[in-house]
mmCIF file of all heavy atoms in Angstrom:
data_model
loop_
_atom_site.group_PDB
_atom_site.id
_atom_site.type_symbol
_atom_site.label_atom_id
_atom_site.label_comp_id
_atom_site.label_asym_id
_atom_site.label_seq_id
_atom_site.Cartn_x
_atom_site.Cartn_y
_atom_site.Cartn_z
ATOM 1 N N ALA A 145 -52.909 13.446 5.848
ATOM 2 C CA ALA A 145 -53.236 14.733 6.456
ATOM 3 C C ALA A 145 -52.800 14.762 7.917
ATOM 4 O O ALA A 145 -52.995 13.796 8.645
ATOM 5 C CB ALA A 145 -54.737 14.982 6.340
ATOM 6 N N PHE A 146 -52.157 15.872 8.342
ATOM 7 C CA PHE A 146 -51.739 16.046 9.733
ATOM 8 C C PHE A 146 -52.526 17.190 10.348
ATOM 9 O O PHE A 146 -52.986 18.080 9.620
ATOM 10 C CB PHE A 146 -50.244 16.377 9.796
ATOM 11 C CG PHE A 146 -49.350 15.223 9.408
ATOM 12 C CD1 PHE A 146 -48.952 15.038 8.092
ATOM 13 C CD2 PHE A 146 -48.910 14.313 10.372
ATOM 14 C CE1 PHE A 146 -48.140 13.973 7.728
ATOM 15 C CE2 PHE A 146 -48.091 13.247 10.019
ATOM 16 C CZ PHE A 146 -47.707 13.076 8.694
ATOM 17 N N PRO A 147 -52.702 17.219 11.685
ATOM 18 C CA PRO A 147 -53.367 18.354 12.341
ATOM 19 C C PRO A 147 -52.645 19.646 11.990
ATOM 20 O O PRO A 147 -51.416 19.658 11.834
ATOM 21 C CB PRO A 147 -53.213 18.043 13.836
ATOM 22 C CG PRO A 147 -52.906 16.582 13.917
ATOM 23 C CD PRO A 147 -52.247 16.203 12.641
ATOM 24 N N VAL A 148 -53.397 20.729 11.903
ATOM 25 C CA VAL A 148 -52.839 21.996 11.418
ATOM 26 C C VAL A 148 -51.687 22.497 12.296
ATOM 27 O O VAL A 148 -50.725 23.081 11.805
ATOM 28 C CB VAL A 148 -53.949 23.064 11.227
ATOM 29 C CG1 VAL A 148 -54.491 23.516 12.576
ATOM 30 C CG2 VAL A 148 -53.431 24.243 10.420
ATOM 31 N N THR A 149 -51.745 22.235 13.608
ATOM 32 C CA THR A 149 -50.650 22.672 14.493
ATOM 33 C C THR A 149 -49.356 21.961 14.112
ATOM 34 O O THR A 149 -48.270 22.572 14.092
ATOM 35 C CB THR A 149 -50.994 22.364 15.973
ATOM 36 O OG1 THR A 149 -52.318 22.816 16.207
ATOM 37 C CG2 THR A 149 -50.036 23.036 16.922
ATOM 38 N N VAL A 150 -49.464 20.693 13.809
ATOM 39 C CA VAL A 150 -48.275 19.923 13.418
ATOM 40 C C VAL A 150 -47.715 20.471 12.096
ATOM 41 O O VAL A 150 -46.503 20.615 11.928
ATOM 42 C CB VAL A 150 -48.631 18.417 13.275
ATOM 43 C CG1 VAL A 150 -47.434 17.614 12.786
ATOM 44 C CG2 VAL A 150 -49.146 17.857 14.593
ATOM 45 N N VAL A 151 -48.619 20.838 11.188
ATOM 46 C CA VAL A 151 -48.181 21.398 9.904
ATOM 47 C C VAL A 151 -47.472 22.734 10.125
ATOM 48 O O VAL A 151 -46.419 22.992 9.545
ATOM 49 C CB VAL A 151 -49.388 21.581 8.940
ATOM 50 C CG1 VAL A 151 -48.949 22.276 7.658
ATOM 51 C CG2 VAL A 151 -50.025 20.233 8.636
ATOM 52 N N ARG A 152 -48.025 23.561 11.022
ATOM 53 C CA ARG A 152 -47.415 24.877 11.283
ATOM 54 C C ARG A 152 -46.038 24.735 11.909
ATOM 55 O O ARG A 152 -45.086 25.419 11.510
ATOM 56 C CB ARG A 152 -48.328 25.697 12.197
ATOM 57 C CG ARG A 152 -49.522 26.240 11.450
ATOM 58 C CD ARG A 152 -50.516 26.892 12.384
ATOM 59 N NE ARG A 152 -51.659 27.406 11.645
ATOM 60 C CZ ARG A 152 -52.818 27.731 12.196
ATOM 61 N NH1 ARG A 152 -52.978 27.600 13.509
ATOM 62 N NH2 ARG A 152 -53.805 28.184 11.463
ATOM 63 N N ILE A 153 -45.933 23.841 12.910
ATOM 64 C CA ILE A 153 -44.630 23.625 13.554
ATOM 65 C C ILE A 153 -43.630 23.104 12.515
ATOM 66 O O ILE A 153 -42.477 23.540 12.449
ATOM 67 C CB ILE A 153 -44.773 22.649 14.757
ATOM 68 C CG1 ILE A 153 -45.565 23.319 15.884
ATOM 69 C CG2 ILE A 153 -43.394 22.203 15.265
ATOM 70 C CD1 ILE A 153 -45.981 22.375 16.994
ATOM 71 N N SER A 154 -44.095 22.195 11.661
ATOM 72 C CA SER A 154 -43.209 21.624 10.637
ATOM 73 C C SER A 154 -42.713 22.691 9.669
ATOM 74 O O SER A 154 -41.567 22.645 9.217
ATOM 75 C CB SER A 154 -43.942 20.533 9.858
ATOM 76 O OG SER A 154 -44.290 19.503 10.734
ATOM 77 N N ALA A 155 -43.581 23.648 9.350
ATOM 78 C CA ALA A 155 -43.181 24.713 8.421
ATOM 79 C C ALA A 155 -42.027 25.527 9.006
ATOM 80 O O ALA A 155 -41.072 25.873 8.305
ATOM 81 C CB ALA A 155 -44.375 25.616 8.112
ATOM 82 N N VAL A 156 -42.103 25.795 10.321
ATOM 83 C CA VAL A 156 -41.029 26.553 10.977
ATOM 84 C C VAL A 156 -39.756 25.709 11.048
ATOM 85 O O VAL A 156 -38.659 26.178 10.729
ATOM 86 C CB VAL A 156 -41.467 27.013 12.396
ATOM 87 C CG1 VAL A 156 -40.316 27.698 13.111
ATOM 88 C CG2 VAL A 156 -42.674 27.939 12.292
ATOM 89 N N VAL A 157 -39.916 24.436 11.452
ATOM 90 C CA VAL A 157 -38.756 23.543 11.568
ATOM 91 C C VAL A 157 -38.083 23.379 10.202
ATOM 92 O O VAL A 157 -36.849 23.420 10.086
ATOM 93 C CB VAL A 157 -39.187 22.157 12.136
ATOM 94 C CG1 VAL A 157 -38.058 21.137 12.017
ATOM 95 C CG2 VAL A 157 -39.634 22.295 13.588
ATOM 96 N N HIS A 158 -38.900 23.219 9.156
ATOM 97 C CA HIS A 158 -38.362 23.029 7.806
ATOM 98 C C HIS A 158 -37.547 24.247 7.366
ATOM 99 O O HIS A 158 -36.417 24.113 6.894
ATOM 100 C CB HIS A 158 -39.518 22.776 6.833
ATOM 101 C CG HIS A 158 -39.116 22.006 5.602
ATOM 102 N ND1 HIS A 158 -38.818 20.664 5.625
ATOM 103 C CD2 HIS A 158 -38.954 22.387 4.299
ATOM 104 C CE1 HIS A 158 -38.485 20.253 4.408
ATOM 105 N NE2 HIS A 158 -38.568 21.281 3.568
ATOM 106 N N ALA A 159 -38.123 25.432 7.561
ATOM 107 C CA ALA A 159 -37.433 26.659 7.141
ATOM 108 C C ALA A 159 -36.181 26.905 7.973
ATOM 109 O O ALA A 159 -35.122 27.257 7.438
ATOM 110 C CB ALA A 159 -38.395 27.851 7.248
ATOM 111 N N ALA A 160 -36.286 26.678 9.308
ATOM 112 C CA ALA A 160 -35.136 26.948 10.177
ATOM 113 C C ALA A 160 -33.998 25.976 9.886
ATOM 114 O O ALA A 160 -32.830 26.392 9.787
ATOM 115 C CB ALA A 160 -35.563 26.852 11.643
ATOM 116 N N SER A 161 -34.304 24.686 9.720
ATOM 117 C CA SER A 161 -33.212 23.732 9.473
ATOM 118 C C SER A 161 -32.628 23.931 8.078
ATOM 119 O O SER A 161 -31.425 23.738 7.874
ATOM 120 C CB SER A 161 -33.641 22.284 9.725
ATOM 121 O OG SER A 161 -34.929 22.043 9.276
ATOM 122 N N ALA A 162 -33.471 24.339 7.112
ATOM 123 C CA ALA A 162 -32.947 24.633 5.766
ATOM 124 C C ALA A 162 -31.975 25.812 5.831
ATOM 125 O O ALA A 162 -30.911 25.795 5.201
ATOM 126 C CB ALA A 162 -34.090 24.945 4.805
ATOM 127 N N PHE A 163 -32.323 26.814 6.644
ATOM 128 C CA PHE A 163 -31.445 27.985 6.793
ATOM 129 C C PHE A 163 -30.095 27.574 7.391
ATOM 130 O O PHE A 163 -29.034 27.942 6.869
ATOM 131 C CB PHE A 163 -32.126 29.049 7.669
ATOM 132 C CG PHE A 163 -31.264 30.252 7.925
ATOM 133 C CD1 PHE A 163 -31.098 31.219 6.933
ATOM 134 C CD2 PHE A 163 -30.609 30.411 9.131
ATOM 135 C CE1 PHE A 163 -30.284 32.329 7.153
ATOM 136 C CE2 PHE A 163 -29.793 31.515 9.364
ATOM 137 C CZ PHE A 163 -29.633 32.474 8.369
ATOM 138 N N VAL A 164 -30.147 26.775 8.465
ATOM 139 C CA VAL A 164 -28.909 26.318 9.114
ATOM 140 C C VAL A 164 -28.065 25.509 8.124
ATOM 141 O O VAL A 164 -26.852 25.704 8.005
ATOM 142 C CB VAL A 164 -29.220 25.485 10.384
ATOM 143 C CG1 VAL A 164 -27.957 24.840 10.948
ATOM 144 C CG2 VAL A 164 -29.902 26.353 11.443
ATOM 145 N N LEU A 165 -28.713 24.594 7.388
ATOM 146 C CA LEU A 165 -27.976 23.765 6.426
ATOM 147 C C LEU A 165 -27.354 24.626 5.323
ATOM 148 O O LEU A 165 -26.198 24.428 4.944
ATOM 149 C CB LEU A 165 -28.893 22.692 5.821
ATOM 150 C CG LEU A 165 -28.202 21.701 4.871
ATOM 151 C CD1 LEU A 165 -27.103 20.921 5.578
ATOM 152 C CD2 LEU A 165 -29.208 20.724 4.270
ATOM 153 N N MET A 166 -28.105 25.619 4.828
ATOM 154 C CA MET A 166 -27.572 26.475 3.760
ATOM 155 C C MET A 166 -26.357 27.268 4.227
ATOM 156 O O MET A 166 -25.359 27.355 3.519
ATOM 157 C CB MET A 166 -28.665 27.414 3.233
ATOM 158 C CG MET A 166 -29.613 26.701 2.283
ATOM 159 S SD MET A 166 -30.700 27.817 1.391
ATOM 160 C CE MET A 166 -32.078 27.907 2.466
ATOM 161 N N VAL A 167 -26.435 27.821 5.446
ATOM 162 C CA VAL A 167 -25.278 28.547 5.993
ATOM 163 C C VAL A 167 -24.104 27.571 6.153
ATOM 164 O O VAL A 167 -22.963 27.875 5.790
ATOM 165 C CB VAL A 167 -25.629 29.232 7.337
ATOM 166 C CG1 VAL A 167 -24.389 29.819 7.985
ATOM 167 C CG2 VAL A 167 -26.686 30.314 7.116
ATOM 168 N N GLY A 168 -24.400 26.383 6.681
ATOM 169 C CA GLY A 168 -23.358 25.367 6.864
ATOM 170 C C GLY A 168 -22.695 24.984 5.554
ATOM 171 O O GLY A 168 -21.467 24.873 5.475
ATOM 172 N N ILE A 169 -23.498 24.828 4.498
ATOM 173 C CA ILE A 169 -22.939 24.425 3.206
ATOM 174 C C ILE A 169 -22.112 25.560 2.597
ATOM 175 O O ILE A 169 -21.101 25.314 1.939
ATOM 176 C CB ILE A 169 -24.059 23.960 2.237
ATOM 177 C CG1 ILE A 169 -24.699 22.668 2.769
ATOM 178 C CG2 ILE A 169 -23.512 23.730 0.831
ATOM 179 C CD1 ILE A 169 -23.749 21.506 2.979
ATOM 180 N N ILE A 170 -22.523 26.814 2.850
ATOM 181 C CA ILE A 170 -21.707 27.930 2.352
ATOM 182 C C ILE A 170 -20.326 27.870 3.010
ATOM 183 O O ILE A 170 -19.295 28.010 2.341
ATOM 184 C CB ILE A 170 -22.418 29.287 2.619
ATOM 185 C CG1 ILE A 170 -23.630 29.407 1.686
ATOM 186 C CG2 ILE A 170 -21.446 30.466 2.397
ATOM 187 C CD1 ILE A 170 -24.566 30.559 2.004
ATOM 188 N N VAL A 171 -20.279 27.603 4.318
ATOM 189 C CA VAL A 171 -18.994 27.461 5.023
ATOM 190 C C VAL A 171 -18.220 26.270 4.446
ATOM 191 O O VAL A 171 -17.014 26.346 4.198
ATOM 192 C CB VAL A 171 -19.221 27.278 6.547
ATOM 193 C CG1 VAL A 171 -17.907 26.975 7.263
ATOM 194 C CG2 VAL A 171 -19.896 28.503 7.143
#
Side-chain angles (χ1 to χ4, degrees):
F146 291 90
V148 70
T149 313
V150 176
V151 175
R152 284 172 180 163
I153 291 169
S154 298
V156 175
V157 169
H158 205 73
S161 40
F163 177 77
V164 172
L165 184 61
M166 282 191 270
V167 172
I169 294 302
I170 289 169
V171 174

